[in-house]
């Protein structure tokens, strides 16, 4: 049995005991050794593209396809419809294409440019036209939808990061208002162009699924 | 009756006695001396030859050398910090890394001390859990022979067990391959920074962990 005084003196001895153990431990681990380190930092790159320009061919008088694809005579051009396109000021990955006062057979073509402004080389995996509130016609002049929209570009083309000369691509977006289109109606659609890192094969669907949604 | 000796006489008597004793032990003697000097050895390791290569997998095929036109997209550099000190550090920095791009750094850990050492498998003490961030192919190289002689290649293509060690004498080296690579499955963010640290421990040969 410890009396109160003995117990006190044991507590006083505890720090000395700890020091002794640490000292012994220190000796055990202090034996001749050396350490080398590998210190690594990985800065990841980025896949990023943005629209750089857009010019539409409605310069006043409504444009007509050239060559004229129909059997009836080429009509006299009039200034009726209007097409404008602008790059979104906040998110240059979005391009706004607006057609005003469209009417059946109103047609237009816009030349759009986009650039690889990321750090990783990319391949254009494809594009997708997504109508929001109408049925997409399957061809220019087909009457199985209200609007025909077609995007042309170099699917499969590799684009190096800017400022490489291959960093920018010119593409074309064409549209045609078809006969089933309603009057005084606003048709909305999105066109997605999907680019992905150059070294991993991906379908358009895989590319779109992996793309950021914001 | 008080018959004390005078103090002066007592002092002279003591001196004579001590002198007598001195004479008795000082006669016919010899001394041998051991004069010792211990020059200690040294445990010392450092990074030796370092090479790097950049490779890329195209459509998930085996890695190939990075094409020239893609060389600027991602890069891998290294430098040595604190050369000659305990804790000498091989600093590796990659920029612009993207999925399926590889940075491969082959490095030597050279024993330059006089005491043989056991160098243990490099251990990752921090960093991401990418499947392909690893050190493999560790093998011992005898550099002192003028040509590189390899032996103990027990970890070809794989990470060595943590308890594995190699005994290096002066000018022997342990050569290992560090691979920095991530895939889409590793969920790595774009424009992000990831760091990792590997520790390589060398201990005197005769006192294991």
């Amino acid at each position: 049995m410890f009396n109160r005084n003995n117990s006190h003196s044991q507590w006083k001895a505890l720090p000395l005991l700890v020091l002794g153990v640490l000292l012994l431990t220190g000796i055990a681990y202090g034996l001749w050794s050396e350490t080398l380190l590998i210190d690594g930092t990985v800065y990841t790159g980025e896949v990023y593209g943005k629209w750089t320009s857009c010019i539409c061919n409605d310069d006043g008088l409504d444009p007509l396809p050239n060559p004229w694809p129909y059997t009836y005579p080429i009509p006299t051009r009039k200034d009726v419809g209007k097409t404008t396109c602008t790059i979104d000021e906040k998110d240059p990955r979005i391009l706004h294409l607006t057609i005003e006062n469209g009417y059946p057979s109103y047609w237009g073509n816009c030349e759009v440019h986009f650039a690889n402004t990321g750090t990783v080389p990319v391949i254009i995996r494809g594009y997708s036209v997504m109508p929001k509130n109408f049925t997409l016609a399957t061809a220019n002049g087909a009457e199985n939808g209200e609007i025909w929209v077609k995007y042309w570009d170099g699917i499969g083309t590799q684009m190096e990061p800017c400022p490489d000369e291959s960093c920018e691509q010119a593409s074309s977006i064409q549209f045609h208002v078809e006969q089933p289109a309603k009057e005084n109606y606003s048709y909305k659609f999105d066109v997605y162009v999907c680019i992905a890192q150059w070294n991993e094969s991906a379908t358009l669907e895989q590319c779109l699924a992996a793309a950021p949604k914001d | 009756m008080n018959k004390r000796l005078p103090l002066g006489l007592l002092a002279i008597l003591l001196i004579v006695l001590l002198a007598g004793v001195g004479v008795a032990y000082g006669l016919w003697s010899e001394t041998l001396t051991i004069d010792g000097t211990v020059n200690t050895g040294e445990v010392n390791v450092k990074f030796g030859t370092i090479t790097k290569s950049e490779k890329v997998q195209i459509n998930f095929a085996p890695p190939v050398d990075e094409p020239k036109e893609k060389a600027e997209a991602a890069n891998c550099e290294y430098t040595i910090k604190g050369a000659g000190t305990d804790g000498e550090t091989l600093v590796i920095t990659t920029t612009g890394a993207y999925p399926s791009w590889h940075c491969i750094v082959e490095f030597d850990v050279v024993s330059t001390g006089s005491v043989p050492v056991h160098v243990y498998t490099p251990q990752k003490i921090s960093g991401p859990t990418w499947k392909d961030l690893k050190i493999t192919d560790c093998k011992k190289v005898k550099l002192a022979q003028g040509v590189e002689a390899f032996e103990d290649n027990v970890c070809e293509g794989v990470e060595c067990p943590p308890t594995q060690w190699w005994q290096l004498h002066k000018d022997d080296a342990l050569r290992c391959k560090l691979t920095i690579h991530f895939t889409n499955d590793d969920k790595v963010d774009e424009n992000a920074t990831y760091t990792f640290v590997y520790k390589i421990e060398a201990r005197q040969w005769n006192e294991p962990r």
Side-chain angles (χ1 to χ4, degrees), chain A residues 31-47 119-121 158 160 197-201, chain B residues 44-45 57 59 70 86-88 90 92 94 96-100 184 189-192 194 196 198 200 202 207:
Chain A
L31 292 170
W32 297 17
S33 70
E34 191 159 290
T35 302
L36 299 178
L37 294 173
I38 297 175
D39 196 354
T41 305
V42 178
Y43 296 101
T44 59
E46 175 189 34
V47 169
T119 63
V120 179
Q158 287 201 29
E160 302 296 326
Q197 59 181 104
W198 71 280
N199 60 320
E200 293 189 2
S201 62
Chain B
N44 201 8
V45 290
Q57 282 175 278
N59 296 335
K70 305 289 186 292
D86 187 16
E88 180 177 322
L90 169 60
I92 300 169
T94 74
Y98 56 90
S100 292
N184 290 306
D189 292 329
E190 297 181 26
N191 280 330
Y194 297 88
F196 61 86
Y198 274 90
I200 304 165
E207 296 193 1

Side-chain angles (χ1 to χ4, degrees), chain B residues 120-158:
Chain B
Y120 288 81
T121 298
Q123 292 297 298
K124 188 166 80 174
I125 55 177
S126 68
T129 56
W130 304 335
K131 191 178 166 189
D132 219 9
L133 172 61
K134 60 189 180 185
I135 291 180
T136 60
D137 295 274
C138 289
K139 59 196 171 210
K140 182 176 165 182
V141 191
K142 285 192 167 297
L143 301 172
Q145 297 172 350
V147 291
E148 294 178 336
F150 299 100
E151 55 183 70
D152 299 344
N153 187 2
V154 294
C155 309
E156 190 167 357
V158 296

Side-chain angles (χ1 to χ4, degrees), chain B residues 51-71:
Chain B
T51 58
K52 61 118 183 177
S53 60
E54 296 176 20
K55 294 183 180 292
V56 66
Q57 282 175 278
I58 302 173
N59 296 335
F60 310 106
V64 294
D65 288 339
E66 194 179 40
K68 277 183 185 171
E69 65 271 20
K70 305 289 186 292

Side-chain angles (χ1 to χ4, degrees), chain B residues 132-187:
Chain B
D132 219 9
L133 172 61
K134 60 189 180 185
I135 291 180
T136 60
D137 295 274
C138 289
K139 59 196 171 210
K140 182 176 165 182
V141 191
K142 285 192 167 297
L143 301 172
Q145 297 172 350
V147 291
E148 294 178 336
F150 299 100
E151 55 183 70
D152 299 344
N153 187 2
V154 294
C155 309
E156 190 167 357
V158 296
E159 290 180 284
C160 294
T163 52
Q164 175 78 39
W165 51 262
W166 293 261
Q167 183 164 314
L168 304 185
H169 295 245
K170 190 171 186 182
D171 294 330
D172 287 346
L174 179 68
R175 182 167 296 170
C176 297
K177 189 165 83 174
L178 167 66
T179 301
I180 303 170
H181 165 229
F182 55 84
T183 68
N184 290 306
D185 292 339
D186 291 314
K187 309 289 183 197

Side-chain angles (χ1 to χ4, degrees), chain A:
Chain A
M1 280 286 274
F2 299 120
N3 64 32
R4 193 182 170 95
N5 286 340
N6 281 346
S7 172
H8 257 296
S9 44
Q10 280 180 339
W11 280 113
K12 283 177 185 173
L14 191 59
L16 289 175
L17 189 64
V18 171
L19 277 176
V21 169
L22 285 175
L23 193 61
L24 285 173
T25 310
I27 287 167
Y29 283 97
L31 292 170
W32 297 17
S33 70
E34 191 159 290
T35 302
L36 299 178
L37 294 173
I38 297 175
D39 196 354
T41 305
V42 178
Y43 296 101
T44 59
E46 175 189 34
V47 169
Y48 194 85
K50 68 176 187 180
W51 298 107
T52 54
S53 77
C54 178
I55 303 170
C56 296
N57 67 346
D58 188 340
D59 54 1
L61 296 176
D62 293 357
L64 298 174
N66 184 14
W68 181 247
Y70 308 109
T71 53
Y72 54 90
I74 299 173
T76 304
R77 293 173 66 191
K78 293 180 184 300
D79 183 7
V80 180
K82 184 181 177 186
T83 304
T84 55
C85 65
T86 55
I87 297 167
D88 193 286
E89 288 182 1
K90 290 182 180 170
D91 187 349
R93 294 175 301 174
I94 300 171
L95 186 145
H96 299 285
L97 178 67
T98 307
I99 299 151
E100 296 171 71
N101 207 26
Y103 54 93
S105 282
Y106 177 69
W107 173 90
N109 181 37
C110 300
E111 183 178 308
V112 294
H113 291 196
F114 66 97
N116 176 4
T117 53
T119 63
V120 179
V122 296
I123 291 180
I124 303 165
R125 301 294 175 181
Y127 67 91
S128 175
V129 179
M130 303 292 288
K132 289 184 172 177
N133 57 354
F134 66 96
T135 302
L136 193 67
T138 54
N140 184 356
E143 297 188 358
N144 56 357
E146 291 96 325
I147 311 286
W148 170 75
V149 180
K150 174 76 175 174
Y151 184 90
W152 274 275
D153 79 340
I155 294 174
T157 301
Q158 287 201 29
M159 301 168 66
E160 302 296 326
C162 289
D164 189 276
E165 62 179 14
S166 72
C167 84
E168 197 164 0
Q169 283 284 315
S171 303
S172 173
I173 183 167
Q174 290 189 9
F175 61 88
H176 186 244
V177 180
E178 305 297 348
Q179 297 300 331
K182 296 175 190 171
E183 297 181 27
N184 287 325
Y185 196 77
S186 182
Y187 291 102
K188 295 181 181 301
F189 61 91
D190 290 330
V191 179
Y192 297 103
V193 181
C194 201
I195 56 177
Q197 59 181 104
W198 71 280
N199 60 320
E200 293 189 2
S201 62
T203 62
L204 173 64
E205 290 70 28
Q206 289 170 326
C207 183
L208 289 170
K213 302 294 184 291
D214 57 340

